[in-house]
Amino acid sequence: MRITGHYYVHQLLGNAEFAAPEVIKGTPVSLATDIWSLGVLTYVMLSGVSPFLDESSEETCMNICRVDFSFPLEYFTSVSQAAQDFIRATLQMDARWRPTVATCLLHPWLQPHYSNYSKIPLDTTRLTAFIERRSHQNDVRPLPNAKCFIVNRNAMGT
């Protein structure tokens, strides 16, 4: 880990799918980087699928750096628009546009008096399958040259 001012730069460990674009690119990170991860975790917990995961680490990194995600109806039919709005707010490319922790806590979706929340319990079958798949992976290994995925792809004009 390298400290620069109030930001940190460190090697990407584990699976790229939870990493913010700045981690993938090897640029300084801040508290807003954790807000990105909160958004990914929220997406996974509500849907049971990962928003950026693709066939390879390279494609996953590219999806993250393009902020290429959606809310497929097959996974989000019972997820409120407020919850989806919360996820959108946290998954901003520019870390300066991500909400702070305090702002996240004030989001209508997290308010106990929010009247438009779904009374239908979430189907956790896909989340259970997601957790089971993840339990067979070794998440504490460096992802080599994640930054080069982006640099090389950008150099090719894609």
Side-chain angles (χ1 to χ4, degrees), residues 68-124:
D68 186 9
F69 75 98
S70 63
F71 297 101
L73 283 178
E74 84 180 270
Y75 303 117
F76 283 90
T77 53
S78 63
V79 176
S80 72
Q81 287 300 312
Q84 293 177 41
D85 177 62
F86 177 81
I87 293 167
R88 274 189 212 91
T90 59
L91 298 180
Q92 296 290 319
M93 169 63 78
D94 188 332
R96 296 172 297 180
W97 289 101
R98 294 180 205 144
T100 64
V101 171
T103 305
C104 284
L105 291 172
L106 294 174
H107 192 279
W109 180 60
L110 295 178
Q111 299 307 306
H113 61 275
Y114 181 63
S115 62
N116 291 333
Y117 71 91
S118 173
K119 309 266 190 292
I120 303 166
L122 287 172
D123 178 2
T124 58

Side-chain angles (χ1 to χ4, degrees), residues 1-120:
M1 175 168 51
R2 185 176 79 224
I3 300 174
T4 54
H6 292 88
Y7 298 92
Y8 303 93
V9 178
H10 56 82
Q11 183 178 23
L12 175 61
L13 294 175
N15 226 316
E17 67 187 294
F18 294 95
E22 56 270 23
V23 175
I24 303 290
K25 294 175 181 177
T27 58
V29 299
S30 66
L31 292 175
T33 304
D34 291 334
I35 297 298
W36 174 280
S37 298
L38 172 66
V40 174
L41 287 169
T42 303
Y43 187 106
V44 169
M45 288 189 296
L46 292 175
S47 68
V49 296
S50 177
F52 301 107
L53 186 63
D54 213 320
E55 297 295 318
S56 69
S57 292
E58 178 183 29
E59 290 170 326
T60 298
C61 289
M62 293 303 296
N63 290 342
I64 291 166
C65 290
R66 288 189 306 248
V67 192
D68 186 9
F69 75 98
S70 63
F71 297 101
L73 283 178
E74 84 180 270
Y75 303 117
F76 283 90
T77 53
S78 63
V79 176
S80 72
Q81 287 300 312
Q84 293 177 41
D85 177 62
F86 177 81
I87 293 167
R88 274 189 212 91
T90 59
L91 298 180
Q92 296 290 319
M93 169 63 78
D94 188 332
R96 296 172 297 180
W97 289 101
R98 294 180 205 144
T100 64
V101 171
T103 305
C104 284
L105 291 172
L106 294 174
H107 192 279
W109 180 60
L110 295 178
Q111 299 307 306
H113 61 275
Y114 181 63
S115 62
N116 291 333
Y117 71 91
S118 173
K119 309 266 190 292
I120 303 166

